[in-house]
Structures are given as structure tokens and as C-alpha cells.
Amino acid sequence: VLGVRPNARIDYANETICRLLGIPHDELIGMYVPDIDVIWTEEFWNAEGWSKLKTAETSLFESVLVHRDGNRIPVEIRADYVVFGEEEHLFAFITDITERKRAEKELEDRLYFEGLLREMSSSLLSTPATGYDHIVEHWLERVVTFVEADYSRLWTAHSGSSPKARAIFSANRAGIPPLPVNDSASFPWALSKVVKGEVVCIESVDDLPVEAKEDKRSCKENGSKSGIILPLMVEGHAIGVLTIGNVTRVRGWPQDLVDRLRLVASVFAN
């Protein structure tokens, strides 16, 4: 709970809000709402914020607070305007909605992905051969955007005693220049795993094992910092490879994202 005066000065704070913000009580008292709230800036408070809260008497809205360490905290606020004698006060009852926002984002992502997958499957199946190159690259671009990657490539693959692959389609995020196209011989370790149906996740190229020495060298040459390599499987055989990666940052590949990308790979394979 926060108590606020018409000039946005904080004159009351309970222990819970102090813990939420990571700010000692003695320090929080005397601060101003714009010091801790991203949305309720000084300009907004003075121009219309206080008057709106005063007129409504009771308001329920969402905002974003800033922790002492700089992290942002989504919150729901119930603000009650009250008058004691001749003094105006606002009491803000604040709820941390971080988990709610995370759940909403997960649901939004899942629904978006399901729609993306349906649209992608329908588009690839209905496209005539003459327009296939364009539509495949379009969907590679959509996948790059969805997973916040920098590039993606689709390869044909041939297993056997000497696995080989050949890049046939590629897409880059806007602003990312095309990467050099390495021969599949440049990635022997990863290719040997993918043609067996394994997914290779590389959070950081620097963490590749000793046996992936050639793969690491090739990644360094083309600027890749992180990536995922997925097999395109048909009847138990790898007929192709889908690679997605980043050149601008190191990143993780959580299992739920890997599972979604497996489905993408299966659509490309079919």
C-alpha cells in the first residue's frame, strides 16, 4: 500500500511495497510516484493523472513499477481518493501481477503459434511448384520473427556413412546481412547427430564439445553465436535439416520452444 499526496509525494508505505520495490521504508517516504512508476510520469501526473484519480474516487488499472535494481514489475493498482479534514490523499493498493502476465504471454504465444502452424501448413500444401521458392522463404522469415532469431536455413540431407546436406532456402531478420553458406562438411559433428533424428541445441558456440571442433570453427567464421538444428524426418529418415540461429546474441533454447520448432520442421518435411 502507498499513500500519495496531490503533488505525487509518497507519505505512506507498508512493508510489503518496500519489499516489492527493494527500497527501504525511510527512503521510499518522500519519493514521488514518477520515481517508481514507468507510466505515471511527472508530466502525466501534473497534466491529468491526479485529476482523473480524484474525479473517479476509486480506480482500477495496471501499471509498471521499477525495482531498485532496475527490473520492471507489472502491477494492478486500486486507487482510492479520500479527504481527511482539508487534506487530500490517495491510497494505492498494489498487487504484483508478474505471474499473471507471464501466463497471459504464454497463452498468447501458444495461440499465435497454433495459428501460425495451421496457416503455414495450408500455405505450403496449396502453393504450386512455380511459387514454391518464394513461399518457403516467406515462412522461414515468419519463423525467424516468431523465435526472435537472426537467420534460418532449410537444407536437403542425405544420410549414410558420409552424411551430406545442401542449403536450398534461407531467410534473415531485417538488418542482418546474409551469412556465408558453409558446406555441410563444415559441421560434421552436428550433421552426424541430426541425420539420426536428434535435435542439436547450441546455447553458445563457445560451449560446443571438443569433438565439435570443426563445427565451432565454422560458426566463428560465419558469425553464429547460438543456434538450433532440427531434422526433417519422413518415415524415420532425415530428408532435410532446419537451422535457426543468432549472430547478435547468445540465447537459450527452452524445451517448449524446441517442441514447437519440431512441429515446424515436420511441416517443412511433409
Side-chain angles (χ1 to χ4, degrees):
V1 181
L2 286 177
V4 182
R5 300 304 304 277
N7 64 353
R9 185 180 185 276
I10 298 169
D11 62 359
Y12 174 81
N14 66 1
E15 292 183 6
T16 303
I17 189 63
C18 292
R19 287 196 301 270
L20 180 64
L21 296 173
I23 301 175
H25 182 270
D26 291 345
E27 186 176 336
L28 186 56
I29 298 299
M31 293 178 69
Y32 291 81
V33 170
D35 296 331
I36 63 170
D37 195 299
V38 173
I39 297 175
W40 288 73
T41 63
E42 181 179 359
E43 293 76 13
F44 179 67
W45 182 275
N46 292 333
E48 56 183 299
W50 172 257
S51 60
K52 281 187 174 181
L53 294 171
K54 177 179 178 178
T55 302
E57 294 189 352
T58 296
S59 305
L60 185 66
F61 54 91
E62 293 183 4
S63 193
V64 180
L65 303 185
V66 182
H67 190 274
R68 189 185 187 93
D69 62 11
N71 286 328
R72 297 189 173 192
I73 309 165
V75 296
E76 182 179 80
I77 300 175
R78 194 195 80 201
D80 293 336
Y81 170 79
V82 295
V83 178
F84 296 124
E86 297 183 355
E87 293 187 348
E88 296 176 298
H89 296 265
L90 187 80
F91 286 97
F93 298 86
I94 300 168
T95 303
D96 182 356
I97 57 173
T98 301
E99 291 304 318
R100 183 202 303 176
K101 287 297 182 182
R102 182 178 294 116
E104 289 175 355
K105 182 64 166 58
E106 289 176 356
L107 177 60
E108 179 184 340
D109 286 349
R110 181 173 62 81
L111 293 176
Y112 176 81
F113 176 74
E114 290 174 356
L116 179 76
L117 208 62
R118 286 193 300 270
E119 187 182 352
M120 176 182 173
S121 180
S122 174
S123 175
L124 290 172
L125 289 173
S126 62
T127 300
T130 53
Y132 208 68
D133 290 6
H134 172 74
I135 203 67
V136 169
E137 290 178 350
H138 166 77
W139 284 107
L140 286 175
E141 290 176 2
R142 292 282 298 272
V143 171
V144 164
T145 301
F146 173 71
V147 301
E148 298 180 345
D150 292 329
Y151 69 88
S152 179
R153 285 191 181 134
L154 201 61
W155 309 62
T156 58
H158 303 280
S159 56
S161 56
S162 299
K164 294 182 181 180
R166 181 172 62 89
I168 52 175
F169 298 108
S170 65
N172 296 335
R173 181 168 59 84
I176 301 296
L179 274 66
V181 178
N182 300 84
D183 184 84
S184 61
S186 302
F187 304 95
W189 175 79
L191 186 58
S192 68
K193 290 182 171 295
V194 173
V195 295
K196 296 175 184 176
E198 298 180 34
V199 174
V200 177
C201 297
I202 305 171
E203 293 191 6
S204 171
V205 168
D206 292 330
D207 295 335
L208 283 169
V210 175
E211 55 269 31
K213 180 180 179 180
E214 184 64 23
D215 302 61
K216 180 186 288 189
R217 183 191 64 77
S218 299
C219 287
K220 295 283 188 180
E221 284 183 355
N222 68 24
S224 295
K225 294 183 177 180
S226 181
I228 183 170
I229 309 169
L230 304 107
L232 275 57
M233 304 296 292
V234 173
E235 297 181 351
H237 299 283
I239 64 165
V241 178
L242 173 63
T243 59
I244 301 169
N246 289 78
V247 296
T248 55
R249 65 186 175 104
V250 170
R251 60 173 296 171
W253 301 96
Q255 189 58 50
D256 61 336
L257 179 57
V258 173
D259 291 340
R260 288 174 179 174
L261 292 177
R262 282 182 182 272
L263 293 174
V264 170
S266 69
V267 171
F268 276 124
N270 291 333

